[in-house]
Amino acid sequence: MPAKILDGKAIADNILKKLKKKLKYCRENSERFPKLVVIQVGEDPASTIYVNKKHKACKEIGIDSEIKKFPETISYPDFLKEIGNLNKDNSVNGILVQLPLPEHLNHKQVFETIAVEKDVDGFHPFNHGKNLLGKKGIQSATPKGIMTLLESTGVNFEGKNAVVVGRSNIVGKPITLMLINEGCTVTVCNSKTKNLKSFTKEADILVVAAGKCNLITEDMVKKGAIVIDVGMNRNGNGQLCGDVDFENVKKVASWITPVPKGVGPMTIASLMENTIEACKQQGNCTCSV
Ligand code: NAP
């Protein structure tokens, strides 16, 4: 039997619908509601698409949203100063810096500059630390969305072998910690891993965030595995492709995410949840969102 499709778009739409309802009540009964500022540096077309999607989602559900664009030539001190101003601005609850940033802006340092309580992407070392300890807090948006997708399958995490392909700070490492915290036995692979297939083949839950078109083929997947494809890549023809050979892997998996309409919409839904949570934590939302 072919895999069931883990429809991230449908699950995300459902989350957004619920948030919209709550925010409507908030707007009618409170003077303060959440505001997100998304920062874009330069004119990278993919970044523009992602920034606009986030802005649109905010507008649709009732979060105030602003896009701040800076030229690629902005100096590092000026950029940090802009973030500092947003940190101090009480009308702003969430700050998101769209990646990639030009090299001279040192994205790791930038993440540490964003106020912890406004870090709605969950990339500040403090928020990563909370995730490490399994404490409640703002969780990285993409891994949080992946966990929601996995939960929707009804899987019992305890005792499952999970394999994560990729060890980035924004996807691979945080999802690894979340899976560990849920009781999975987790193996993390990277570009130096020898015989990747020997690991992926053992996975009951396989999360792939390598950024390589069709890296995972049917023969690398255990029968009945849940497969989450985080990849958003362009192939040689400029077409969007994931890290998993969807058409063939779906023949062996029990659940699989498509690309697009899998993890991508869940990242946005989690970002909206995080912005509302940030607003609540800052004591700015007086309604019961
Ligand atoms: P990244 O920072 O480039 O990290 C990629 C990771 O994959 C690295 O740890 C790398 O290993 C590993 N890797 C690369 N080739 C490999 C191979 N052949 N075998 C095993 N591991 C390999 O990428 P990222 O930011 O985590 O993103 C990964 C993918 O997810 C990209 O396609 C990105 O566009 C997508 N993404 C999607 C969303 C969404 O919302 N849908 C959000 C974030 C990212 P090394 O560490 O050894 O180099």
Side-chain angles (χ1 to χ4, degrees):
M1 208 171 59
K4 287 181 239 166
I5 306 302
L6 255 176
D7 188 341
K9 171 84 171 64
I11 295 170
D13 282 349
N14 201 25
I15 293 171
L16 295 176
K17 209 166 113 189
K18 287 184 187 151
L19 294 178
K20 183 175 179 171
K21 207 169 153 193
K22 289 179 175 177
L23 284 163
K24 184 171 180 284
Y25 173 84
C26 176
R27 285 196 170 260
E28 285 163 357
N29 295 282
S30 159
E31 287 173 4
R32 304 291 300 269
F33 19 81
K35 178 174 176 181
L36 173 69
V37 173
V38 180
I39 297 174
Q40 183 181 358
V41 181
E43 295 292 342
D44 173 51
S47 291
T48 303
I49 293 172
Y50 295 138
V51 164
N52 288 341
K53 277 190 177 175
K54 289 162 189 172
H55 184 61
K56 188 167 165 247
C58 284
K59 291 279 164 219
E60 276 174 10
I61 68 167
I63 291 178
D64 284 345
S65 161
E66 187 185 336
I67 301 174
K68 271 189 171 283
K69 288 197 178 195
F70 298 106
E72 219 157 315
T73 50
I74 187 168
S75 73
Y76 185 47
D78 284 352
F79 191 59
L80 294 188
K81 205 167 140 194
E82 294 285 352
I83 291 177
N85 290 339
L86 291 170
N87 285 342
K88 281 184 255 159
D89 184 341
N90 283 336
S91 73
V92 175
N93 304 110
I95 304 168
L96 182 147
V97 176
Q98 184 64 46
L99 292 177
L101 283 178
E103 218 161 282
H104 73 279
L105 295 183
N106 183 353
H107 69 265
K108 285 187 185 155
Q109 190 60 45
V110 166
F111 292 143
E112 291 185 27
T113 306
I114 296 174
V116 172
E117 67 277 11
K118 297 190 181 186
D119 168 42
V120 286
D121 240 343
F123 293 162
H124 191 288
F126 184 84
N127 284 325
H128 276 312
K130 277 198 156 176
N131 186 24
L132 174 80
L133 299 173
K135 285 188 166 186
K136 277 203 182 312
I138 293 182
Q139 295 182 310
S140 303
T142 301
K144 179 178 172 170
I146 294 171
M147 290 308 287
T148 308
L149 281 174
L150 288 171
E151 281 157 13
S152 77
T153 67
V155 66
N156 176 9
F157 290 99
E158 286 184 10
K160 293 288 184 297
N161 279 343
V163 174
V164 177
V165 182
R167 55 172 166 174
S168 72
N169 290 336
I170 65 170
V171 187
K173 284 180 195 161
I175 189 65
T176 295
L177 292 170
M178 290 176 193
L179 290 165
I180 289 172
N181 290 337
E182 290 301 325
C184 290
T185 305
V186 189
T187 305
V188 188
C189 303
N190 60 61
S191 65
K192 314 288 185 298
T193 298
K194 291 188 180 114
N195 196 357
L196 183 64
K197 177 179 167 179
S198 68
F199 296 98
T200 58
K201 193 81 186 166
E202 294 300 314
D204 302 308
I205 296 171
L206 178 60
V207 179
V208 193
K212 297 276 178 296
C213 259
N214 296 339
L215 173 69
I216 303 298
T217 47
E218 182 185 347
D219 58 312
M220 297 169 81
V221 177
K222 181 178 175 179
K223 197 168 171 24
I226 303 175
V227 180
I228 306 286
D229 186 353
V230 188
M232 294 273 276
N233 318 297
R234 296 276 161 194
N235 65 15
N237 301 325
Q239 289 159 329
L240 182 66
C241 66
D243 289 353
V244 175
D245 175 4
F246 178 84
E247 285 308 324
N248 289 308
V249 170
K250 80 174 182 202
K251 294 177 197 162
V252 288
S254 60
W255 289 91
I256 187 168
T257 57
V259 176
K261 299 187 178 175
V263 174
M266 294 303 295
T267 297
I268 295 191
S270 300
L271 173 66
M272 300 297 113
E273 289 178 324
N274 282 354
T275 304
I276 294 167
E277 181 60 30
C279 187
K280 262 167 55 175
Q281 282 181 17
Q282 289 158 42
N284 279 353
C285 279
T286 46
C287 63
S288 60
V289 174

